[in-house]
């Protein structure tokens, strides 16, 4: 029997996968403002899922890593669909620094990123 409303079911499946993903999935606009973080943000960095929405993706990057992150971001928004990968330190909510490895690409005016703690 075919699944009723398969398009809707696909969206539901995708949403559930995001909810249980071990990596943080983030959506950022071209100005560097965070639009969305998956629930894994709390497990990895201590912030509530929506706590960083509306904030700059650069403000919690370690000052020594900021030039590298800004360069990767700038390069990434020049070439839609080309994935950029980098590792940098990001401030955990408790004030400690965590090494994060992320891969991101621009698509449709948004940057889609997947990040994991590699501390």
């Amino acid at each position: 029997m075919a699944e009723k409303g398969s398009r809707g079911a696909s969206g539901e499946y995708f949403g559930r996968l995001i909810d249980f993903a071990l990596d943080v999935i983030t959506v950022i606009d071209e100005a560097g403002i965070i639009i969305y973080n998956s629930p894994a943000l709390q497990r990895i960095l201590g912030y509530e899922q929506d706590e960083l929405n509306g904030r700059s993706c650069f403000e919690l990057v370690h000052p020594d890593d900021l030039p590298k992150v800004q360069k990767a971001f700038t390069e990434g928004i020049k070439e839609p669909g080309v994935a950029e990968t980098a590792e940098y330190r990001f401030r955990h909510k408790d004030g400690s620094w965590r090494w994060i490895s992320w891969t991101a690409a621009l698509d449709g005016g948004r940057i889609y990123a997947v990040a994991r703690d590699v501390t």
Side-chain angles (χ1 to χ4, degrees):
M1 180 174 181
E3 198 167 321
K4 182 179 171 184
S6 62
R7 184 175 212 137
S10 294
E12 180 183 336
Y13 297 150
F14 179 74
R16 297 307 289 164
L17 287 170
I18 297 295
D19 288 346
F20 295 115
L22 298 177
D23 295 339
V24 177
I25 298 165
T26 301
V27 181
I28 303 165
D29 71 16
E30 288 186 76
I33 303 302
I34 299 168
I35 298 169
Y36 171 83
N37 279 301
S38 66
L41 180 70
Q42 185 172 20
R43 185 181 53 77
I44 292 175
L45 291 168
Y47 300 96
E48 296 292 328
Q49 180 179 359
D50 297 332
E51 190 171 346
L52 300 180
N53 290 0
R55 293 173 66 176
S56 169
C57 65
F58 305 113
E59 70 181 75
L60 298 172
V61 173
H62 192 282
D64 293 343
D65 299 333
L66 190 55
K68 178 173 75 170
V69 173
Q70 288 173 320
K71 181 180 179 196
F73 182 88
T74 301
E75 307 245 334
I77 64 171
K78 288 180 187 173
E79 299 185 55
V82 176
E84 295 285 332
T85 300
E87 286 188 7
Y88 63 93
R89 288 165 286 185
F90 198 89
R91 184 178 300 279
H92 189 281
K93 189 169 183 173
D94 68 10
S96 64
W97 293 102
R98 302 291 170 94
W99 279 98
I100 301 296
S101 175
W102 62 269
T103 300
L106 175 69
D107 183 49
R110 302 276 190 244
I111 293 111
Y112 297 89
V114 177
R116 69 177 46 176
D117 183 349
V118 293
T119 303

